[in-house]
Amino acid sequence: EGEHRRAAVLMLFGPDEQGAQSVVLTQRSAQLRAHGGQVAFPGGRIDDGDDGPVGAALRESHEEIGLEPAAVEVVGLLPELFVPVSRSAVTTVLGWAPTPTPLWARSTQEVDAVARVPLERLVDPAHRIVATHPVGYAGPAFDLPELYIWGFTALLLDRVLDLGGLARPWDRSRERPLPERFGRPMRSRPLTSASSDSVTSTSGGTSGTGEDS
């Protein structure tokens, strides 16, 4: 694979202001060279001064969307996964925020918007499709009126919702072309699949979850 950078993202669950169980997603700045305008989890490079993936995910979330680290209960870590398009080895930190706190696009150079998206909307079969591209790319996607979630972020959500017992049956033959605004995706080798013992708990045990790009 050659050299790659290590990165971490935060998949943060918790109630929104109306009490609906939600996950925090950002829309990356359209000015960014990599993944500009795409929906993502907050996160970024693991710096030398960070306390590993957890420290990096919490620091980046604070910098990007104003999330206070003290508001997050870290539940566990997903296995590190290689994302070819950005040549990054990414660790996903699972978090829980029992009380909704103010979030905003604090770093406008990196983030255009931030939202708590209700899980009920994500598991709605009407919003589930397989995004495809002529280069051979095919992966789960979430097609909501205000958000189009695909790639690494969508595959993470797909696996976590499935392994968490939250997903509803949906038509995986329902293929739709990837919108042209996202450009040409990289056709990459499959990443490690999730299994029931693929999440490392911060308390030392394991539970379930996994990912793509």
Side-chain angles (χ1 to χ4, degrees):
E1 300 288 352
E3 290 188 6
H4 58 264
R5 68 184 186 120
R6 295 181 64 233
V9 297
L10 178 66
M11 186 186 290
L12 183 64
F13 295 94
D16 63 13
E17 291 79 0
Q18 287 72 46
Q21 296 306 314
S22 307
V23 64
V24 173
L25 295 171
T26 70
Q27 182 159 18
R28 291 169 58 83
S29 170
Q31 308 306 314
L32 292 173
R33 288 186 302 169
H35 315 298
Q38 295 186 25
V39 175
F41 298 111
R45 182 191 299 271
I46 300 175
D47 292 340
D48 291 339
D50 290 325
D51 183 15
V54 171
L58 294 177
R59 173 183 57 76
E60 288 279 355
S61 297
H62 179 66
E63 293 174 358
E64 292 180 8
I65 61 174
L67 177 67
E68 291 297 335
V72 179
E73 298 176 8
V74 176
V75 177
L77 308 177
L78 301 186
E80 186 178 72
L81 292 170
F82 183 66
V83 182
V85 68
S86 58
R87 302 201 63 78
S88 299
V90 182
T91 298
T92 301
V93 178
L94 296 176
W96 169 257
T99 303
T101 57
L103 301 176
W104 72 100
R106 185 177 183 220
S107 174
T108 55
Q109 294 179 331
E110 299 175 277
V111 176
D112 280 342
V114 57
R116 288 184 172 91
V117 181
L119 300 183
E120 184 69 19
R121 301 194 65 212
L122 294 174
V123 301
D124 185 342
H127 297 150
R128 306 297 307 273
I129 61 171
V130 174
T132 62
H133 191 278
V135 299
Y137 174 86
F142 299 79
D143 190 4
L144 282 68
E146 74 281 17
L147 291 175
Y148 187 92
I149 309 166
W150 71 288
F152 179 78
T153 304
L155 187 52
L156 276 174
L157 282 171
D158 179 63
R159 299 285 173 80
V160 170
L161 293 172
D162 187 40
L163 291 168
L166 301 173
R168 298 177 190 166
W170 60 282
D171 184 2
R172 291 182 180 266
S173 68
R174 188 176 173 227
E175 298 184 350
R176 299 288 185 274
L178 184 70
E180 291 185 3
R181 68 182 183 273
F182 294 120
R184 183 180 185 274
M186 177 179 288
R187 184 177 184 181
S188 61
R189 59 177 174 74
L191 293 170
T192 305
S193 297
S195 66
S196 61
D197 61 353
S198 62
V199 178
T200 303
S201 167
T202 54
S203 61
T206 57
S207 34
T209 328
E211 323 27 31
D212 168 283
S213 122

